[in-house]
């Protein structure tokens, strides 16, 4: 029961993965970007799994379960549902029709599906276990004057395979292997046809009844070598909520992802800024909103939510500022005056990029200091190209995590003064420079 509760708490993040890219702004069926859909976590039927399409995903991860622990596995995906508008006595299909002021549009919807399995760790250590599953197809008809809306779903068949192997050495722990496959025996001559038999946006939630999973990016030192040996194909494991739950997702996420408290609801585009997308949706014409509402019930809910968004919730989308506190619990920096906007650089009088200094190798470094650039191993290629070059510090900055940064211009750059005049700097950490 505890494992199932953990999976339910992780559902909010998992739902964001499930519906990522489901329908994009301007949320109309006629929009070009909404004519090529279903890009994330698509497991095609095996007969169509070539040329860049795949029928399965696989991932490995580490865990420290207690003796006799139970692993709860929940595979989630969307089943494509074709919504076809048919008119006349012969029920011939049409793109759309308006009857009694109601527009009916041909479109591809989706139905959420879940497959649950509870597996004992002692059994998994003996050998890999397979859990086959089937999802029935079907057809529903919704009549209207002169026609009907038919919703059709093709049957699906798949399999979940889970295995475990004890890690060598004194620390214990196990390596878990998860493989999810589409086994639907369907033949298709195009991607559009194959999608009718696909597991769409497929991902897996796993939870332990006792014990915890280890991070794939920040494991304890003793597990680092074992973590480096883990292999994954088209699925990435991240910790969600407590460490007893993990989300294996087709989208690479950091550990413990969360939905922002300021978000008023799903906009189906995690790469976009909620405020910008909300404001753009507000600017749609009434005709565009009408078409969006007719496209999909989820689009209709989104349009209605944006149209009725209270001002205080819209203000929350503009951003937030969090004040870092010292280890003693007191404020690292006092908040700005109530009359000063949070984004005003002058709102915090306790820092001064023009006069602050940071000590590097026993030498105070501030504006005007000359330094040699020594980018760290996590630097990007643009910074690595500057390794060994000399630069002039233009400002000393402190971020909200109490980390010092130096804004610099490269000394032999002919455009250095022009960049400085426009505030166009390169940024390096205090541990990435050598005072000269």
């Amino acid at each position: 029961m505890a494992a199932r509760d953990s999976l339910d708490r992780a559902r909010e993040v998992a739902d964001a993965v499930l519906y990522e890219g489901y329908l994009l702004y301007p949320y109309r069926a006629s929009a070009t970007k909404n004519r090529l859909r279903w890009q994330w976590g698509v497991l095609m039927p095996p007969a169509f799994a070539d040329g860049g399409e795949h029928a399965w995903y696989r991932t490995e991860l580490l865990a420290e379960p207690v003796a006799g622990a139970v692993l709860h596995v929940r595979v989630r995906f969307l089943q494509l549902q074709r919504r076809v508008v048919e008119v006349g006595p012969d029920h011939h299909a049409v793109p759309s029709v308006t009857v009694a002021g109601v527009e009916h549009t041909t479109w591809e919807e989706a139905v959420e599906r879940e497959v649950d399995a509870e597996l004992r760790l002692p059994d998994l250590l003996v050998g890999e276990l397979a859990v086959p599953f089937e999802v029935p197809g079907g057809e529903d008809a919704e009549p209207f004057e002169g026609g009907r809306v038919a919703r059709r779903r093709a049957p699906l068949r798949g399999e979940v395979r889970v295995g475990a192997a004890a890690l060598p050495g004194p620390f214990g722990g196990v390596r878990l292997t998860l493989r999810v496959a589409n086994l639907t025996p369907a033949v298709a001559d195009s991607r559009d046809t194959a999608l009718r038999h696909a597991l769409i946006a497929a991902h897996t939630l796993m939870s332990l009844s006792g014990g915890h999973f280890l991070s794939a990016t920040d494991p304890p030192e003793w597990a680092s070598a074992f973590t480096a040996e883990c292999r994954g194909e088209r699925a990435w494991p991240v910790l969600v909520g407590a460490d007893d739950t993990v989300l294996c997702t087709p989208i690479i996420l950091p550990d413990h992802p969360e939905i922002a408290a300021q978000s008023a609801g799903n906009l189906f585009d995690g790469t976009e800024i909620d405020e910008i997308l909300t404001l753009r949706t507000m600017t749609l014409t009434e005709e565009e909103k009408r078409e969006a509402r007719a496209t999909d019930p989820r689009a209709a809910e989104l349009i209605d939510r944006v149209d009725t968004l209270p001002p205080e919730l819209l203000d929350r989308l503009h951003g937030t500022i969090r004040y870092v506190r010292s280890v003693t619990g007191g404020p690292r920096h006092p908040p700005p005056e109530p009359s000063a906007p949070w984004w005003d650089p002058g709102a915090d009088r306790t820092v001064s990029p023009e006069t602050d200094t940071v000590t590097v190798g026993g030498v105070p470094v501030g504006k005007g200091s000359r330094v040699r650039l020594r980018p760290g191993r996590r630097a990007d290629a643009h910074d690595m190209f500057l390794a060994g070059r000399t630069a002039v510090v233009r400002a000393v900055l402190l971020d909200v995590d109490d980390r010092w940064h130096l804004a610099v211009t490269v000394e032999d750059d002919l455009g250095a003064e022009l960049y400085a005049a426009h505030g166009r700097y390169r940024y390096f950490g205090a541990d990435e420079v050598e005072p000269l």
Side-chain angles (χ1 to χ4, degrees):
M1 181 62 69
R4 187 180 294 272
D5 290 343
S6 295
L7 295 184
D8 291 338
R9 289 195 296 270
R11 178 179 292 274
E12 187 177 37
V13 173
D15 281 348
V17 172
L18 188 66
Y19 286 102
E20 177 64 17
Y22 174 80
L23 184 64
L24 300 177
Y25 173 89
Y27 308 112
R28 305 192 308 270
S30 61
T32 302
K33 65 173 71 174
N34 287 321
R35 295 177 184 174
L36 181 61
R37 302 165 67 206
W38 320 119
Q39 302 299 317
W40 303 106
V42 177
L43 300 184
M44 288 292 194
F48 197 77
D50 57 11
E53 303 286 358
H54 304 278
W56 55 270
Y57 66 70
R58 181 180 184 276
T59 192
E60 296 179 344
L61 64 156
L62 305 184
E64 290 186 289
V66 300
V70 174
L71 179 68
H72 190 149
V73 180
R74 177 176 292 169
V75 178
R76 308 176 75 231
F77 54 89
L78 297 175
Q79 178 186 26
L80 190 143
Q81 178 172 265
R82 291 181 299 142
R83 188 184 72 203
V84 183
V85 179
E86 300 174 340
V87 298
D90 59 344
H91 298 303
H92 65 275
V94 296
S96 66
V97 65
T98 301
V99 178
V102 178
E103 182 175 357
H104 304 279
T105 302
T106 294
W107 178 248
E108 289 181 344
E109 300 173 333
V111 180
E112 295 181 21
R113 300 299 187 191
E114 293 186 354
V115 177
D116 281 290
E118 292 188 351
L119 309 171
R120 296 177 64 252
L121 256 297
D123 297 335
L124 294 174
L125 290 168
V126 173
E128 189 176 67
L129 298 180
V131 181
F133 63 88
E134 293 187 9
V135 177
E139 178 174 340
D140 306 308
E142 177 187 337
F144 59 81
E145 184 179 353
R148 68 181 184 180
V149 175
R151 290 178 168 87
R152 300 185 178 97
R153 301 169 299 281
L156 304 174
R157 184 185 303 172
E159 181 184 70
V160 184
R161 301 187 73 89
V162 184
L167 298 176
F171 295 101
V174 298
R175 174 182 284 110
L176 295 171
T177 302
L178 168 75
R179 187 179 189 272
V180 178
N182 184 349
L183 303 181
T184 306
V187 178
D189 57 2
S190 68
R191 187 175 193 270
D192 287 343
T193 304
L195 282 167
R196 301 172 188 175
H197 311 279
L199 314 183
I200 298 172
H203 59 279
T204 303
L205 284 162
M206 295 194 292
S207 188
L208 281 169
S209 64
H212 59 273
F213 296 99
L214 302 185
S215 171
T217 56
D218 189 22
E221 185 175 353
W222 69 266
S224 296
F226 297 122
T227 301
E229 294 172 353
C230 290
R231 294 292 178 266
E233 297 180 71
R234 298 174 292 281
W236 176 254
V238 298
L239 302 176
V240 288
D243 289 352
D244 65 347
T245 306
V246 69
L247 169 64
C248 301
T249 166
I251 303 172
I252 295 179
L253 300 172
D255 283 334
H256 306 293
E258 294 181 350
I259 303 300
Q262 293 79 16
S263 178
N266 200 343
L267 296 170
F268 310 120
D269 190 351
T271 64
E272 186 57 273
I273 299 172
D274 274 25
E275 181 186 27
I276 294 176
L277 201 50
T278 298
L279 293 174
R280 292 189 67 179
T281 303
M282 287 179 171
T283 66
L284 293 175
T285 66
E286 290 305 315
E287 175 62 21
E288 290 172 324
K289 291 179 181 179
R290 181 199 57 76
E291 185 180 346
R293 289 187 174 97
T295 295
D296 192 283
R298 292 184 175 87
E301 187 277 330
L302 186 156
I303 296 295
D304 291 341
R305 184 179 72 238
V306 169
D307 273 355
T308 58
L309 196 65
E312 58 271 20
L313 292 186
L314 185 60
D315 289 343
R316 287 202 316 176
L317 294 179
H318 187 59
T320 186
I321 187 167
R322 301 174 178 88
Y323 296 96
V324 180
R325 295 184 177 275
S326 70
V327 292
T328 61
R332 173 62 181 84
H333 302 302
E337 297 295 331
S339 60
W342 65 266
W343 42 261
D344 184 354
D348 189 346
R349 299 184 300 277
T350 64
V351 293
S352 173
E354 298 286 319
T355 59
D356 283 346
T357 62
V358 59
T359 301
V360 179
V363 178
V365 174
K367 182 178 180 181
S369 298
R370 296 178 64 245
V371 296
R372 192 176 304 280
L373 303 177
R374 305 291 190 192
R377 65 182 181 87
R378 297 179 66 86
D380 61 23
H382 296 283
D383 290 344
M384 296 301 293
F385 290 143
L386 300 176
R389 303 275 289 276
T390 58
V392 176
V393 176
R394 301 289 182 167
V396 177
L397 308 168
L398 183 67
D399 67 19
V400 296
D401 294 317
D402 264 357
R403 292 191 297 245
W404 291 100
H405 303 269
L406 302 176
V408 306
T409 54
V410 179
E411 199 167 50
D412 57 356
D413 187 343
L414 296 179
E417 294 304 320
L418 181 62
Y419 289 144
H422 288 274
R424 300 286 297 276
Y425 304 126
R426 301 177 187 273
Y427 297 89
F428 291 84
D431 58 345
E432 295 183 303
V433 301
E434 172 191 332
L436 296 177

